[in-house]
Amino acid sequence: MSNISLFGDSENYVSFATGQLIFEQGQSGKFMFVIKEGAVEMQIKGKAISTLGVGESFGEVSLIIDSPRSATAIAKTDCKLVMIDQKYFDFLVQNTPDFANNIMQIVTHRLLKADERA
């Protein structure tokens, strides 16, 4: 499941060095991210739950339901991440059906994986 087709050519990205904290579980979330280059490790309560790569997104739940971050994100390698704020997220959901469908699939897939772990 990848959003890179929409954002792969974007020059609007932020860089994170290996090991750098992107956001922490419990923090307020104002952005979601799409990985343009590199890899990001997702952790819950300090335990690694997944590693995401190029084209994958994370942080979208905080934009969907305006909730604190449910996980911590750490740069596993040097990475470039496209940041998407609430306004742009809403625009994409309303005007790009493939994006909205992709986000629903991602969130559902992660929810099912969380149920398996529990």
Side-chain angles (χ1 to χ4, degrees), residues 44-89:
I44 294 180
K45 297 180 182 176
K47 181 181 175 190
I49 59 164
S50 66
T51 299
L52 306 176
V54 173
E56 292 186 281
S57 62
F58 60 98
E60 57 281 311
V61 172
S62 290
L63 297 180
I64 295 169
I65 61 171
D66 189 29
S67 67
R69 300 289 190 190
S70 59
T72 296
I74 299 172
K76 189 169 178 100
T77 66
D78 290 348
C79 14
K80 293 179 181 177
L81 308 176
V82 178
M83 295 176 63
I84 300 167
D85 66 10
Q86 185 72 59
K87 185 177 178 180
Y88 191 42
F89 178 83

Side-chain angles (χ1 to χ4, degrees), residues 86-102:
Q86 185 72 59
K87 185 177 178 180
Y88 191 42
F89 178 83
D90 291 343
F91 172 83
L92 289 168
V93 167
Q94 292 170 8
N95 295 288
T96 313
D98 288 343
F99 175 80
N101 187 48
N102 192 308

